[in-house]
Amino acid sequence: MTGKTIMIIDDSPSIRQVVNLTLRKVGYDVIEASDGEDGLKKLFGQKVNLIVCDVNMPKMDGITFLKNLKAMPNYKYMPVIMLTTESQEAKKQEGKLAGAKAWVVKPFKPEQMIEAIEKLMLPG
């Protein structure tokens, strides 16, 4: 067990399940959220080491979530990986400007996801 927690934010239950299983298999604890709004709510009081977030979601999309997250002093340096079907350069740039550390396009390979997470994971 790594003792580290990752939050997955995606409006697709099947994607959350796949990512959850992938991460639990290598020892991470996982918190799931169904959209950006839900993610912000569930984040309060939680020790999270990294966030994997979809871009296109109802209520609050991933880029808006990212901007809100980075505006909070406690989460300013939180690494966020965008997991999305969006592969357009303009969207990637928007994500990067908002503070995304990596951009993984769906469908993803589990080892690709784990590699990105291990590279970006906050210590402790």
Side-chain angles (χ1 to χ4, degrees):
M1 283 294 158
T2 66
K4 296 195 176 187
T5 302
I6 296 174
M7 179 179 275
I8 306 163
I9 306 172
D10 200 304
D11 57 322
S12 161
S14 58
I15 292 287
R16 287 198 310 267
Q17 189 179 15
V18 169
V19 177
N20 192 330
L21 291 171
T22 300
L23 299 178
R24 286 187 187 277
K25 219 180 275 177
V26 292
Y28 292 111
D29 291 323
V30 177
I31 298 169
E32 292 186 21
S34 57
D35 59 54
E37 212 172 79
D38 190 33
L40 288 174
K41 256 187 248 158
K42 288 183 175 170
L43 206 50
F44 283 104
Q46 294 284 349
K47 171 120 177 59
V48 174
N49 301 85
L50 184 136
I51 296 171
V52 175
C53 185
D54 187 14
V55 172
N56 299 314
M57 297 179 286
K59 284 191 191 164
M60 184 187 289
D61 67 84
I63 306 280
T64 306
F65 165 80
L66 201 48
K67 289 175 181 169
N68 280 296
L69 179 80
K70 296 298 181 176
M72 296 189 281
N74 292 356
Y75 298 105
K76 197 176 178 170
Y77 301 106
M78 174 68 60
V80 178
I81 296 173
M82 302 310 280
L83 175 64
T84 178
T85 54
E86 290 281 352
S87 57
Q88 297 167 327
E89 216 36 64
K91 264 291 182 215
K92 285 184 186 177
Q93 205 49 45
E94 192 183 349
K96 204 175 197 168
L97 288 171
K101 293 287 180 225
W103 196 271
V104 178
V105 178
K106 296 174 192 172
F108 69 97
K109 293 185 181 81
E111 56 276 5
Q112 175 193 16
M113 173 65 71
I114 301 298
E115 197 177 297
I117 285 169
E118 287 172 355
K119 235 182 255 169
L120 297 169
M121 179 67 73
L122 282 180

